[in-house]
Amino acid sequence: MLATDPSRLRPLAAAVLATLQAAAMQAQAAESSPQQLPKISVGADVEDSYKTETSASPKLTQPLRDTPQTITVIPQSVIKEQGADSLRDVLRNSPGITFQAGEGGGGLPGDQNFTMRGFTARNSLFIDGLRDTGAYTRDSFNLESVEVIKGPTGAVAGRSAAAGAINQISKTPHAQDSQSYSLGYGSDDYKRITADTNIAVNERFSLRLNAMYHDAEVSNRDVVENKRWGFAPSLALGISDDTRLTLSYLFVEEDNVPDYGLPWLSVTQDTASDPSHNGTFPTGAYDTADQSIFYGLRDYDYEDTETHIATAQLEHAFSDTLSLRNVTRYLDTDRDSAITAPRPPRRQLHRRTMGTENITNLTDLSVNFATGNVSHALVTGLEISRETTDNRNSANSDAQPTYDDFFRPDPSDRPLGPMPANTGNPSEATIHTFALYVFDTISFTDQWHVPGGVRLDVA
């Protein structure tokens, strides 16, 4: 048995104790002063945003948040991500708009049959602030954004619906090269191709071309088809540092198979076969389980439209506070259609031709100035236009053959003979409009603004 002198262990115990005390002090220091890691920052450029700060209209000079009116802006990012291919689809993003089905065979494309807050708004459509007339499908392929202005807009747009106005903003050339293409294929034989190409030739000259092809059937409807194609070239030329010229053209052609839908009648198999009805059925709800039945005639019914819109815009900045803009536009639309309407137990052919020609010139002057401590953002202008319409609307009452089987009609039938000429009920009208307007936003402080405007239209 070995004996150990305790005096020899004291230095070793003291060293161990000192080491433990040092470790405890380091742990305590670490808890009271945590270590700071290097800062890491991650950033990215946002190319598209849902938020729009200002209106594209020069008449609305203040940010949207400072404009005392309900304005919904649907930007290109939303249109693109939703795959909205028409103005009708785009407007689904705005509450208060109701689309109609063309009751009674109203004869207008779906994107023109709508109401805003209960008021018809077919005459409240604009492109870049100029009135958009004519019965055609407004495709989205050349739209940069859509502004829905709700409430009275007479001072801004002239004659329009009491509920507001819709301003379509066109795509224009910009200073960077860009390309964008889309290809779509889906149910109901949906096919769609779009192309958007911008070429910046130099610092002062840019070209842009948008093109579209669309071909699709209609969900849960037999035979009905919508087919259209179009293109929209534009160029922007910086004549000088202060002067810019923009020329644009839009062409859209449609070849559709139209649809009057289902008859609104209370007809059953028994009442249809009962000879006592003498060709007249009681009104009410139509009793059928198959909502896809097409009551028109394939390869006989048609809807053809052709649209031309040419625009020239010249802008000049005299200074940072004074600028002038002049816009001239020529719009021409033609629509020719023949639609077989179900008038149980018979067919009735409706022929319509609708032509619209619109020439508009708009000049506005924007000036910012101050009177003492009060600043002004004033816009004043002159608008001159001539709108001509030539419409013919007739029903072929001489030939109304009955359906062989009202509940299972054959769209390949040929009961009406050669397509008759549309010579009935001609309607022609020309409207000349001369308008003067002044808008001013008076700013007393950064928080207090008073906008106001007046417009005089003489037709």
Side-chain angles (χ1 to χ4, degrees), residues 23-36:
M25 293 176 64
Q26 290 179 358
Q28 185 178 3
E31 292 179 359
S32 59
S33 301
Q35 184 179 2
Q36 299 292 325

Side-chain angles (χ1 to χ4, degrees), residues 178-233:
S178 65
Q179 297 184 34
S180 177
Y181 305 95
S182 70
L183 175 63
Y185 184 81
S187 58
D188 300 303
D189 205 19
Y190 172 86
K191 300 178 289 292
R192 182 176 174 87
I193 302 173
T194 64
D196 181 357
T197 302
N198 188 90
I199 301 175
V201 179
N202 53 45
E203 294 180 354
R204 291 190 174 182
F205 185 41
S206 298
L207 299 170
R208 189 168 186 174
L209 175 63
N210 286 272
M212 167 274 302
Y213 174 80
H214 178 100
D215 185 5
E217 298 175 356
V218 176
S219 178
N220 199 34
R221 298 295 296 150
D222 295 339
V223 182
V224 186
E225 182 181 16
N226 293 319
K227 181 185 294 184
R228 60 185 179 267
W229 71 281
F231 60 92

Side-chain angles (χ1 to χ4, degrees), residues 27 238 301 426 431:
D301 295 0
I431 301 175

Side-chain angles (χ1 to χ4, degrees), residues 204-437:
R204 291 190 174 182
F205 185 41
S206 298
L207 299 170
R208 189 168 186 174
L209 175 63
N210 286 272
M212 167 274 302
Y213 174 80
H214 178 100
D215 185 5
E217 298 175 356
V218 176
S219 178
N220 199 34
R221 298 295 296 150
D222 295 339
V223 182
V224 186
E225 182 181 16
N226 293 319
K227 181 185 294 184
R228 60 185 179 267
W229 71 281
F231 60 92
S234 58
L235 66 87
L237 174 63
I239 300 176
S240 67
D241 292 341
D242 302 320
T243 305
R244 177 184 174 91
L245 174 66
T246 304
L247 302 177
S248 62
Y249 172 70
L250 171 67
F251 172 83
V252 177
E253 182 176 279
E254 301 177 65
D255 182 11
N256 305 323
V257 178
D259 184 19
Y260 263 16
L262 300 174
W264 181 254
L265 294 171
S266 178
V267 183
T268 63
Q269 294 277 9
D270 294 336
T271 58
S273 60
D274 184 358
S276 64
H277 58 66
N278 294 323
T280 303
F281 296 141
T283 60
Y286 177 58
D287 182 13
T288 180
D290 190 352
Q291 300 296 308
S292 65
I293 295 177
F294 178 67
Y295 281 88
L297 298 175
R298 180 189 287 114
D299 299 327
Y300 192 82
D301 295 0
Y302 69 90
E303 180 187 52
D304 297 334
T305 71
E306 190 171 295
T307 302
H308 305 265
I309 304 177
T311 307
Q313 177 172 294
L314 182 64
E315 302 168 275
H316 179 73
F318 296 96
S319 66
D320 294 339
T321 59
L322 180 63
S323 61
L324 181 70
R325 182 185 68 143
N326 180 270
V327 184
T328 301
R329 173 171 295 158
Y330 174 79
L331 181 151
D332 180 79
T333 65
D334 291 289
R335 178 177 182 266
D336 184 10
S337 65
I339 309 175
T340 302
R343 300 288 185 258
R346 304 180 181 275
R347 291 181 169 98
Q348 186 179 49
L349 178 67
H350 286 254
R351 286 293 315 275
R352 285 184 172 87
T353 57
M354 309 173 68
T356 302
E357 184 182 62
N358 191 354
I359 302 175
T360 305
N361 182 266
L362 171 68
T363 302
D364 53 39
L365 181 70
S366 300
V367 55
N368 296 324
F369 63 96
T371 54
N373 294 327
V374 179
S375 62
H376 299 260
L378 185 142
V379 180
T380 182
L382 167 66
E383 181 177 342
I384 303 173
S385 67
R386 187 192 71 185
E387 301 176 44
T388 302
T389 60
D390 182 3
N391 300 332
R392 295 177 183 271
N393 182 355
S394 64
N396 183 17
S397 59
D398 296 331
Q400 294 186 0
T402 59
Y403 289 90
D404 293 335
D405 187 340
F406 183 76
F407 289 89
R408 285 176 293 274
D410 184 358
S412 299
D413 285 347
R414 290 292 179 271
L416 299 177
M419 182 66 67
N422 185 16
T423 59
N425 303 322
S427 175
E428 299 181 6
T430 300
I431 301 175
H432 294 87
T433 302
F434 181 87
L436 290 170
Y437 55 87

Side-chain angles (χ1 to χ4, degrees), residues 59-62 66 375-379 439-443 449-452:
K59 300 174 184 177
L60 303 176
T61 59
Q62 302 302 306
D66 295 332
S375 62
H376 299 260
L378 185 142
V379 180
F439 302 93
D440 190 13
T441 300
I442 304 173
S443 301
H449 308 277
V450 179

